[in-house]
Amino acid sequence: MKEKIWVVVIGCFLTLPIVAYAYQFGFGLWESNREWGEMGSAIGGLYTPILSILTLIILVKQFQLQKSMHNHEQRATSREIVFGMVEKYATKIESMFTQEVVDELVVLAELEKNEPEARRLISKHLDILTLWASVHAYLKNYKKQEPRIIVDLASVAVLHLTFNMCATLEQAFVTHMCGPSEERFEYWFMNNA
């Protein structure tokens, strides 16, 4: 509907000089070159700025559209990379799990910071906690950049590690590996599950 209105407006705008000329000087087939030249000069003098302005408007709109498309493509590429990295790290962590490792990570998540047992478990599972640090960073950053899609990204980790394991890893990582100002990434979308 909008396009039809613009076509009508532009069509009226382009016929206006011819209508104005015909109203003022009449319209017909003239016999002298001078009369044709005067008409061409008048019409050309009116159409040149009109077409220049229309061309400028089209170029600005085209630039805006290209910029929007470029931003969309960059976000899509970034999304693909981030999702791939989270899946890669979650898969690597998943491959390191045994029942003993899972049990020890659950114990670590429940221990207070700087307890001797916590230090022993951290050093034993430093590779898993280091991989989780990357997942944690992606989740926290993505939550700020793309809040509408964070559920999808968090679901990638949950798919490989289960919700409880993700929450356990997050608790252990934030408690034992981060400073006091670091907050846990909350899997709020799974709280009622």
Side-chain angles (χ1 to χ4, degrees), residues 25 47 57 65 67 75-76 88 96 98 115 129 148 174:
F25 303 107
Y47 273 118
I57 290 169
L65 181 62
K67 185 177 178 183
R75 282 193 312 276
K88 175 183 172 185
M96 299 170 147
T98 63
E115 286 188 30
L129 293 170
R148 294 184 327 228
V174 171

Side-chain angles (χ1 to χ4, degrees), residues 45 124 155 185:
K124 186 174 180 181
S155 296
F185 176 81

Side-chain angles (χ1 to χ4, degrees), residues 108-121:
L108 178 61
E110 295 170 357
L111 292 173
E112 296 293 322
K113 190 171 185 126
N114 295 326
E115 286 188 30
E117 179 65 9
R119 282 185 281 217
R120 183 186 74 76
L121 290 174

Side-chain angles (χ1 to χ4, degrees), residues 89-105:
Y89 293 133
T91 302
K92 182 68 174 167
I93 292 169
E94 181 183 34
S95 72
M96 299 170 147
F97 281 170
T98 63
Q99 189 59 46
E100 178 187 351
V101 170
V102 170
D103 293 341
E104 288 177 347
L105 288 170

Side-chain angles (χ1 to χ4, degrees), residues 10-180:
I10 290 171
C12 290
F13 208 62
L14 290 175
T15 58
L16 189 62
I18 294 173
V19 170
Y21 186 85
Y23 177 77
Q24 183 67 30
F25 303 107
F27 194 75
L29 297 175
W30 297 282
E31 292 181 15
S32 74
N33 283 339
R34 186 179 60 83
E35 289 175 319
W36 280 101
E38 288 173 359
M39 183 196 71
S41 179
I43 299 289
L46 293 171
Y47 273 118
T48 299
I50 292 171
L51 293 176
S52 296
I53 290 170
L54 287 175
T55 302
L56 181 62
I57 290 169
I58 290 170
L59 288 174
V60 167
K61 287 290 186 188
Q62 183 179 9
F63 176 74
Q64 291 171 340
L65 181 62
Q66 284 177 337
K67 185 177 178 183
S68 173
M69 287 173 55
H70 179 70
N71 289 341
H72 178 73
E73 287 173 4
Q74 279 186 320
R75 282 193 312 276
T77 301
S78 173
R79 240 181 250 134
E80 187 176 316
I81 290 169
V82 168
F83 275 68
M85 294 305 291
V86 168
E87 184 166 19
K88 175 183 172 185
Y89 293 133
T91 302
K92 182 68 174 167
I93 292 169
E94 181 183 34
S95 72
M96 299 170 147
F97 281 170
T98 63
Q99 189 59 46
E100 178 187 351
V101 170
V102 170
D103 293 341
E104 288 177 347
L105 288 170
V106 169
V107 169
L108 178 61
E110 295 170 357
L111 292 173
E112 296 293 322
K113 190 171 185 126
N114 295 326
E115 286 188 30
E117 179 65 9
R119 282 185 281 217
R120 183 186 74 76
L121 290 174
I122 289 169
S123 65
K124 186 174 180 181
H125 301 296
L126 189 59
D127 49 351
I128 291 174
L129 293 170
T130 303
L131 289 167
W132 186 258
S134 298
V135 173
H136 171 84
Y138 280 121
L139 292 172
K140 294 282 286 198
N141 290 334
Y142 211 74
K143 184 177 178 183
K144 293 175 191 168
Q145 294 173 0
E146 296 270 359
R148 294 184 327 228
I149 305 176
I150 188 61
V151 172
D152 296 338
L153 183 61
S155 296
V156 171
V158 169
L159 175 70
H160 290 280
L161 304 173
T162 75
F163 165 70
N164 290 332
M165 199 65 233
C166 288
T168 299
L169 283 168
E170 185 69 9
Q171 179 64 37
F173 172 75
V174 171
T175 301
H176 300 288
M177 306 287 287
C178 297

